[in-house]
Amino acid sequence: MLKTLFIVLLAPGVVFAGVEFNRDIRPILADACYHCHGPDPETRKAGLRLDTEAGFFTAKAGEQPSVIKGQPDQSSLYQRIISTD
């Protein structure tokens, strides 16, 4: 499910009939990701923020962004999701 979510988020110009971010995507992120990558600094366990667009697409100095728009297979976040390690 996270693989599909990731592709939906990063496929610019592709329309997924009936998919709405706030209704369909945000609840998945809230349930599966926000406890470590969300808005609450007290519970956040990692620097990657997934509750804001900037958190998805902004790179730290000297690094690639975790998510590269339109290139999910090149994104480190996607590589972590599909990894069997």
Side-chain angles (χ1 to χ4, degrees):
M1 173 154 44
L2 283 176
K3 289 180 197 178
T4 303
L5 169 68
F6 192 79
I7 291 169
V8 168
L9 290 172
L10 298 181
V14 177
V15 176
F16 293 89
V19 175
E20 294 179 22
F21 182 81
N22 285 328
R23 184 192 69 204
D24 302 312
I25 306 300
R26 188 177 301 275
I28 295 169
L29 293 174
D31 288 344
C33 308
Y34 282 4
H35 59 280
C36 293
H37 300 285
D40 185 357
E42 297 298 318
T43 60
R44 197 177 311 130
K45 296 180 182 176
L48 175 63
R49 298 268 313 259
L50 298 177
D51 59 316
T52 65
E53 185 172 345
F56 268 97
F57 303 115
T58 303
K60 293 179 181 177
E63 296 181 13
Q64 261 192 333
S66 297
V67 179
I68 302 170
K69 285 185 181 182
Q71 299 178 0
D73 58 326
Q74 300 299 314
S75 301
S76 63
L77 180 61
Y78 179 72
Q79 294 302 318
R80 289 177 185 218
I81 290 171
I82 65 168
S83 173
T84 59
D85 182 10

